[in-house]
Amino acid sequence: MISESEARAKILEAVRPLPSRKMPVLHAQNRFAAADYFARLPLPAFDNSAMDGYAVVASNCKKGARLRVAGEQPAGVDRKLRVLNGETVRIFTGAPIPDGADAVVMQEDVTREGDPTSQTYGAAGEIIVNVEVAPGDFVRRRGCDLGEGQKILSAGDRITAAISALLVSQGVDDVAIGGEARAAIISTGDELARPRTKLQPGQIYDSNSILLHGLLNRAGAEIASTERCSDNPDSLRKAFQTAAKNEIVVVTGGVSVGEHDLVQQTLRDLGVKIEIWRVAIKPGKPFVFGRLDNALVFGLPGNPVSAFVTFLQFVRPAILKMMGAQDLGLQRISARLTVDLNNDGDRAHYFRGKFDGGSFTPIGRQESHALFGLSQSNALLRLASGENRKSGDLVQVELW
Ligand code: AMP
Ligand code: MG
């Protein structure tokens, strides 16, 4: 049995990042940048109004000032207007600030004089300014958000919705991203019934396939195939041979050493050297890792919670590294523990529970088959062997 960190290090050492390529920003969402990106344009790109109102020269605009409306500056064109003393220009949010002006007075803060039924009302006639005005009021200065040349994205960062928007704001059409890992799922066990069929006595529905489907999807992998195998060496061998065309093979069930556990032997028969067998982690001790041709093969225990935890701790980081991610861990956050928790065992224990924004409470049965408890939880708390925590302690939990 090896430690969790040794196992992870060994797996990550076996991972080769996939070649990068360019993709339209839209399709690059959720993938990882393969290069650093820098601002080509400042944001905002030009001085513009933060409000619908009137562009003024602040020094000539005391409270009570009466100004002649000399023109209108909408968003989308630059009419190259100029604001002279005693004048103002009607302006709208996002419109370029006319020359000479250095502030905008909100339309709510002026009294408009003229005919409110006229088409040009607000863009002609006069206004009286009802507030104090200071230079810079409601002006969004060129470059105040982002300066030209500033770094906007680092290689290995995930391209989130906001980052993709930023790239597009810069006129970037195609972005370099890391490769896409393709994964095959194999679930094994004579007891497994296909969802939507009638259960026979002793059968259970194969729920791990869909669990892994969701987890792989979330990690960003493309799911190439899903195969359900009975505990039969021939069908297992065939399933592995097909699955090995992908970068990742995730198999659940049958990884132990009982008479019906055929995964390890089948892999050996196919020439795989089992590089990891058994990790000091609870749940998830019967974990297997090896390489079949160019595929990384992860053998996860059949118990759903064990499969879940070992996926997040071993498979997910491998996929992320393959796809060019910088940060391979789950998001960590401080939480106040609401109960006493002990780990008297000889393996690191991952408790499943609910993080409610401030505290962490273990949920349901903490056993490896307890799928309901897992379904109600959103966080993992890891206690090392021998680590004991009291209610009220501040701990770090991992979110998925
Ligand atoms: P195994 O790892 O094959 O010894 O299986 C351990 C436990 O997980 C057994 O109770 C299995 O019935 C259960 N199990 C195995 N595969 C699945 C699956 N695909 N979906 C749900 N439970 C499973
Ligand atoms: Mg089995």
Side-chain angles (χ1 to χ4, degrees), residues 188-192 231 252-255 260-262 302:
T188 76
D190 287 339
E191 72 277 36
L192 300 183
D231 294 318
T252 70
V255 298
H260 299 282
D261 295 323
L262 305 172

Side-chain angles (χ1 to χ4, degrees), residues 187-189 191-192 204-209 231 252-256 261 300-304 369:
S187 60
T188 76
E191 72 277 36
L192 300 183
I204 58 167
Y205 286 119
D206 167 19
S207 56
N208 283 352
S209 291
D231 294 318
T252 70
V255 298
S256 288
D261 295 323
L300 313 188
N303 278 307
H369 62 86

Side-chain angles (χ1 to χ4, degrees), residues 314-330:
F314 303 126
V315 187
R316 183 178 179 275
I319 290 172
L320 295 187
K321 181 175 176 191
M322 208 173 256
M323 305 208 340
Q326 185 59 41
D327 187 358
L328 307 183
L330 292 167

Side-chain angles (χ1 to χ4, degrees), residues 72-135:
E72 184 182 50
Q73 173 58 73
V77 294
D78 189 345
R79 290 191 174 159
K80 304 279 183 207
L81 299 179
R82 168 166 277 278
V83 176
L84 305 172
N85 279 341
E87 286 187 350
T88 182
V89 163
R90 175 72 169 132
I91 195 164
F92 298 91
T93 305
I97 300 289
D99 277 355
D102 60 358
V104 170
V105 184
M106 277 200 289
Q107 63 187 29
E108 292 86 339
D109 289 336
V110 308
T111 305
R112 289 185 267 210
E113 305 225 313
D115 174 10
T117 60
S118 139
Q119 287 257 313
T120 55
Y121 177 64
E126 289 184 343
I127 60 164
I128 295 165
V129 177
N130 299 324
V131 288
E132 303 287 351
V133 180

